[in-house]
């Protein structure tokens, strides 16, 4: 990469950091954030000022040693006590306020991105888009980006930018001291005499620039390796969580060897990339540690001729060494922090790609038209596609009226569940024109085949997503009884992982109990009783139908069992559309037709 290309890359990276950072310092917390940042900057300036005083103390103290001046020696020891105490106080509060700013910034940033991830069903779209052929791949492991990358970004941004500020201020403060102390270097070349003023300053610049260039060429593979390491670690953790989540199914299928192979493969990626990473860090460490050790003696070597000639005393030599060390440390900031800069770059890229993914998502289409006059749900024209753009389902001129109970049938994969997702407003690949009752959004409920229950008390799982204290114990007991779960009465306040501890049939009945508790007017049931025996299923459907009839509503079900048909008075059948051509992958779009029950 040319020098111009590197400059453009740096500008692009700086722009990304600014785009991610500026919103916090312009947010509702801007005054707290700016105040903390200003305090940290002042403390960094104070720390540099203390180092300048300590540098000057070096000269007086070591001159006293050389002159065997005991009174000055003891006086300077007392002075050093106060200087050290002041530096300690500044260092403690600089660290404390820095960590406080990082914590507040991480909290705000995580909350902001969590809101965006959960808004407009973005978390759902990111998952279903992941498996869409021909679509841009969404970011991997959003959980890691929220939990780990936000923390790393705020930590690296604050610490590295403050470190850079400290390096610049230190350089400005000590370069003048070093220039004054180092004197001039005279030499002859081709019979002409030359004098280089501030010789030690130029030596420090040459030393550090050469070190920075070499460090960059040695350490630049760390950027890509850090990026991949974070992804491989997150993939491995994600699969561990899935094994725990589906532990029963894996155990029943005796899938332990397969899961061990999958986990071993993912962990091998972690270790393989980590091995490359530590090898790259080893190469970089060889140079950076050697560079730092050489810097300890380098100023003494350069200044020794003036000391031995009597031009300077021991105190001035130690002051020169101290000033050179500060200038060298400042100019070596890039060398000393290259591995952290690489990790910062990788983290910034991951968060940037996470943010960009929100702009590429297709917003779910809102319901068009006004509320229906006859209080019915009317599907005038609904066209559903798969994420890759293939046509899936076409619906024309169908309606659900109060008192209806509709059964939807069709082959697997024909779009039954996707129709429910579109009506719920979570399927973005839809072009629709449909009308709804005025109270549809407030009084609709969907029962999926696999319900979700948060970890916590049973009453929280039953009331989800509403607060548990909204319902009385009598109401909760009634709902459990109607859902054939009377044995769970005494466990309302037990905390557990209900999605794992309950059987599949109990989970489905608990979801039904949730519906019977909230008593929606419009109920959509998607294979929500598939794990029940026919007798239990019959009782559940009978009670659900009575519930919607009492609320003057309607029920729409997806089911494959013939026995479920007796609880519905209308049938919608999905059929392959013979008029439509296959999509090139053998898929024929389906249409939904109303038939007599």
């Amino acid at each position: 990469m040319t020098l111009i290309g590197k400059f453009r890359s740096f500008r692009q990276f700086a722009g990304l950091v600014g785009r991610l950072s500026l919103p916090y310092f312009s947010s509702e917390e801007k005054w707290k954030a700016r105040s903390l940042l200003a305090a940290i900057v002042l403390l960094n300036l104070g720390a540099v000022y203390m180092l300048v005083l300590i540098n000057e103390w070096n000269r007086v103290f070591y001159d006293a040693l050389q002159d065997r001046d005991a009174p000055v020696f003891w006086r300077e020891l007392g002075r050093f006590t106060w200087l050290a105490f002041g530096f300690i106080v500044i260092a403690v509060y600089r660290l404390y306020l820095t960590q406080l700013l990082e914590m507040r910034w991480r909290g705000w940033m995580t909350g902001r991105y969590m809101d965006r991830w959960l808004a407009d069903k973005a978390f759902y779209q990111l998952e279903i888009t992941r498996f869409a052929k021909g679509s841009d791949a969404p970011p991997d492991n959003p959980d890691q980006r929220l939990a780990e990358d936000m923390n790393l970004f705020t930590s690296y941004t604050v610490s590295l930018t403050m470190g850079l500020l400290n390096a610049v201020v230190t350089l400005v403060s000590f370069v003048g001291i070093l220039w004054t102390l180092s004197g001039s270097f005279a030499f002859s070349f081709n019979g002409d005499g030359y004098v280089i003023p501030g010789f030690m300053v130029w030596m420090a610049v040459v030393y550090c620039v050469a070190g920075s260039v070499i460090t960059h060429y040695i350490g630049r593979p760390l950027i890509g390796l850090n990026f991949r390491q974070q992804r491989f670690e997150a993939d491995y953790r994600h699969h561990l969580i899935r094994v725990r989540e589906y532990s029963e199914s894996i155990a029943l299928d005796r899938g332990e060897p397969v899961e061990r192979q999958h986990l071993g493969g993912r962990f091998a990626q972690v270790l393989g990339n980590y091995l490359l990473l530590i090898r790259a860090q080893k190469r970089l460490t060889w140079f950076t540690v050697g560079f730092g050790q050489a810097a300890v003696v380098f100023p003494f070597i350069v200044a020794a001729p003036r000391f031995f000639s009597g031009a300077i005393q021991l105190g001035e030599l130690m002051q020169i060494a101290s000033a050179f060390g500060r200038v060298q440390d400042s100019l070596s900031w890039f060398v000393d922090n290259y591995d952290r800069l690489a990790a910062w770059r990788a983290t910034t890229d991951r968060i940037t790609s996470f943010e960009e993914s929100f702009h590429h998502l297709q917003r779910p289409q809102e319901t068009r038209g006004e509320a229906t006059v006859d209080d019915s749900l009317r599907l005038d024209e609904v066209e559903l596609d798969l994420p890759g753009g293939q046509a899936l389902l076409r619906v024309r001129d169908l309606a659900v009226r109060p008192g209806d109970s509709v059964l939807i049938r069709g082959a697997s994969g024909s779009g039954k569940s996707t129709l429910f997702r579109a009506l719920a407003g979570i399927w973005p690949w839809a072009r629709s024109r449909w009308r709804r009752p005025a109270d549809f959004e407030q009084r609709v409920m969907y029962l999926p085949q696999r319900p979700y229950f948060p970890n916590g008390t049973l009453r929280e799982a039953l009331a989800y997503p509403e607060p548990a204290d909204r319902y009385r114990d009598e109401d909760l007991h009634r709902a459990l009884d109607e859902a054939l779960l009377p044995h769970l009465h005494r466990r309302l306040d037990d905390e557990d992982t209900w999605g794992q501890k309950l059987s599949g049939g109990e989970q489905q009945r608990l979801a039904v109990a949730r519906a019977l508790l909230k008593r929606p007017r419009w109920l959509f049931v998607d294979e929500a009783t598939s794990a029940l025996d026919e007798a239990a299923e019959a009782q559940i459907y009978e009670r659900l139908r009575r519930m919607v009839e009492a609320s003057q509503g309607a029920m729409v079900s997806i089911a494959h069992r013939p026995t479920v048909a007796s609880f519905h008075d209308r049938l919608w059948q999905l059929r392959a559309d013979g008029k439509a051509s296959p999509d090139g992958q053998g898929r024929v779009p389906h249409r939904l037709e109303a038939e007599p029950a």
Side-chain angles (χ1 to χ4, degrees):
M1 184 182 292
T2 64
L3 185 62
I4 295 177
K6 291 177 182 177
F7 179 72
R8 288 176 178 172
S9 178
F10 173 77
R11 276 182 39 182
Q12 182 183 19
F13 172 63
L16 294 177
V17 172
R19 193 176 75 185
L20 295 176
S21 303
L22 290 179
Y24 175 59
F25 293 93
S26 303
S27 68
E28 67 281 359
E29 296 186 17
K30 60 184 178 182
W31 295 118
K32 291 182 180 179
R34 294 174 184 178
S35 299
L36 280 173
L37 182 60
I40 294 169
V41 170
L42 289 176
L43 287 172
N44 274 279
L45 296 178
V48 174
Y49 178 69
M50 296 302 296
L51 291 176
V52 171
L53 294 180
I54 291 174
N55 176 263
E56 189 272 335
W57 173 88
N58 270 298
R59 178 183 60 81
V60 178
F61 181 76
Y62 283 102
D63 278 347
L65 280 177
Q66 184 178 17
D67 297 337
R68 293 179 173 81
D69 190 342
V72 175
F73 171 82
W74 292 111
R75 185 193 70 194
E76 290 304 311
L77 277 182
R79 183 173 171 232
F80 178 78
T81 302
W82 290 107
L83 291 175
F85 178 75
F87 186 81
I88 291 170
V89 171
I90 290 174
V92 168
Y93 278 95
R94 180 177 61 178
L95 175 63
Y96 170 71
L97 294 181
T98 298
Q99 291 177 333
L100 188 61
L101 176 60
E102 291 172 4
M103 183 195 71
R104 290 181 180 274
W105 190 3
R106 178 193 179 187
W108 181 88
M109 197 172 184
T110 300
R112 178 172 179 257
Y113 279 92
M114 193 178 296
D115 289 342
R116 297 179 68 181
W117 184 53
L118 295 175
D120 297 322
K121 311 297 186 295
F123 65 97
Y124 172 71
Q125 282 196 53
L126 288 175
E127 290 304 312
I128 58 178
T129 306
R130 188 184 309 281
F131 304 102
K133 294 182 179 180
S135 63
D136 293 334
D140 57 274
N141 304 298
D143 51 316
Q144 186 217 16
R145 316 232 173 173
L146 290 168
E148 184 176 346
D149 288 343
M150 301 294 169
N151 181 32
L152 292 176
F153 175 78
T154 54
S155 176
Y156 283 141
T157 303
V158 174
S159 62
L160 289 173
T161 53
M162 288 300 101
L164 179 59
L165 171 66
N166 190 72
V168 171
V169 175
T170 301
L171 176 62
V172 172
S173 301
F174 280 92
V175 73
I177 297 174
L178 185 60
W179 184 282
T180 302
L181 293 173
S182 62
S184 301
F185 177 73
F187 65 96
S188 299
F189 182 74
N190 289 335
D192 296 325
Y194 298 92
V195 177
I196 302 177
F199 178 67
M200 293 293 293
V201 174
W202 297 115
M203 292 300 296
V205 170
V206 171
Y207 184 81
C208 296
V209 168
S212 298
V213 172
I214 296 173
T215 298
H216 173 65
Y217 281 102
I218 295 175
R220 59 182 175 179
L222 286 171
I223 297 175
L225 290 171
N226 273 292
F227 187 97
R228 289 193 295 272
Q229 187 66 26
Q230 292 177 26
R231 177 164 62 88
F232 291 150
E233 294 277 7
D235 288 342
Y236 175 58
R237 287 196 302 268
H238 178 70
H239 198 80
L240 286 172
I241 293 172
R242 283 182 59 82
V243 171
R244 187 182 66 181
E245 184 179 357
Y246 292 95
S247 57
E248 182 178 358
S249 299
I250 293 171
L252 291 173
D253 288 334
R254 296 178 177 85
E256 295 90 340
V258 177
E259 296 307 316
R260 178 64 181 84
Q261 181 181 3
H262 290 169
L263 286 171
R266 283 171 170 79
F267 191 59
Q269 288 182 317
V270 171
L271 293 183
N273 191 80
Y274 189 65
L275 180 59
L276 297 176
L277 184 61
I278 61 176
R279 285 175 177 171
Q281 288 176 331
K282 181 187 73 173
R283 291 191 294 269
L284 182 61
T285 304
W286 270 109
F287 178 75
T288 55
V289 173
F291 181 84
Q293 291 300 309
V296 175
V297 298
F298 186 78
F300 292 101
I301 295 173
V302 177
R306 296 185 65 212
F307 173 73
F308 290 120
S309 68
I312 58 175
Q313 290 187 308
L314 178 62
E316 287 180 283
L317 175 64
M318 299 306 296
Q319 190 178 14
I320 288 173
S322 175
F324 182 91
R326 299 302 177 188
V327 171
Q328 183 266 331
D329 286 343
S330 302
L331 293 174
S332 301
W333 179 85
F334 180 78
V335 175
D336 297 335
N337 292 278
Y338 194 89
D339 56 341
R340 301 181 70 223
L341 287 168
W344 186 29
R345 175 63 183 263
T347 300
T348 301
D349 289 342
R350 287 178 61 81
I351 296 180
T352 301
S353 64
F354 186 48
E355 181 178 20
E356 289 175 350
S357 67
F358 296 124
H359 301 295
H360 298 155
L361 292 179
Q362 183 174 341
R363 188 179 181 87
Q365 191 173 17
E366 299 291 341
T367 304
R368 297 185 184 179
E370 303 295 332
T372 51
V373 178
D374 59 352
D375 202 28
S376 62
L377 174 66
R378 295 186 174 275
L379 308 181
D380 299 325
E381 184 177 3
V382 179
E383 297 182 354
L384 306 181
D385 296 334
L386 293 171
Q390 304 93 337
L392 176 63
L393 177 63
R394 301 291 182 261
V395 181
R396 300 285 189 278
D397 300 323
L398 293 178
V400 181
R401 300 175 180 83
D404 284 350
S405 54
V406 181
L407 176 64
I408 300 180
R409 279 184 175 172
S412 297
S414 56
K416 303 182 296 297
S417 298
T418 304
L419 176 61
F420 279 13
R421 297 182 187 115
L423 295 178
I426 68 173
W427 191 255
W429 298 280
R431 298 176 300 280
S432 60
R433 184 165 52 85
W434 57 288
R435 293 169 286 167
R436 61 185 181 182
D439 64 347
F440 184 78
E441 289 295 327
Q442 294 74 32
R443 301 192 62 185
V444 66
M445 191 167 179
Y446 300 84
L447 292 183
Q449 183 176 9
R450 188 184 174 203
Y452 167 74
F453 303 105
N455 295 339
T457 64
L458 182 62
R459 67 172 68 245
E460 291 172 340
L462 185 53
Y464 180 84
E466 297 174 349
D469 57 9
R470 179 172 295 182
Y471 299 98
R472 301 174 303 170
D473 283 3
E474 304 86 74
D475 298 327
L476 300 176
H477 290 160
R478 174 190 55 78
L480 290 173
D481 288 338
E482 291 183 349
L484 310 179
L485 294 171
H487 58 285
L488 294 181
H489 281 191
R490 64 183 182 277
R491 302 196 62 186
L492 284 177
D493 293 310
D494 290 356
E495 293 194 12
D496 215 328
T497 53
W498 301 106
Q500 294 178 309
K501 291 301 177 68
L502 298 178
S503 68
E506 286 177 320
Q507 291 183 48
Q508 289 190 339
R509 280 179 283 162
L510 187 59
V512 169
R514 187 185 285 169
L516 293 169
L517 174 68
K518 300 179 180 182
R519 310 192 74 79
R521 186 181 178 203
W522 304 91
L523 183 64
F524 293 83
V525 184
D526 184 2
E527 292 282 358
T529 58
S530 58
L532 304 183
D533 59 82
E534 291 186 3
E537 185 177 56
Q539 294 183 65
I540 292 296
Y541 260 104
E542 183 61 37
R543 290 167 185 179
L544 290 176
R545 180 165 180 169
R546 287 204 306 264
M547 178 192 71
V548 294
E549 287 177 349
S551 61
Q552 298 181 338
M555 177 173 65
V556 181
S557 301
I558 297 173
H560 291 286
R561 287 181 182 172
T563 53
V564 176
S566 60
F567 299 97
H568 301 79
D569 50 31
R570 299 179 62 195
L571 174 65
W572 289 358
Q573 183 70 44
L574 279 89
R575 301 186 184 280
D577 191 350
K579 299 178 183 179
S581 59
D583 60 10
Q585 298 181 356
R587 176 179 292 277
V588 177
H590 288 74
R591 66 178 186 276
L592 192 61
E593 299 177 345
E595 297 184 358

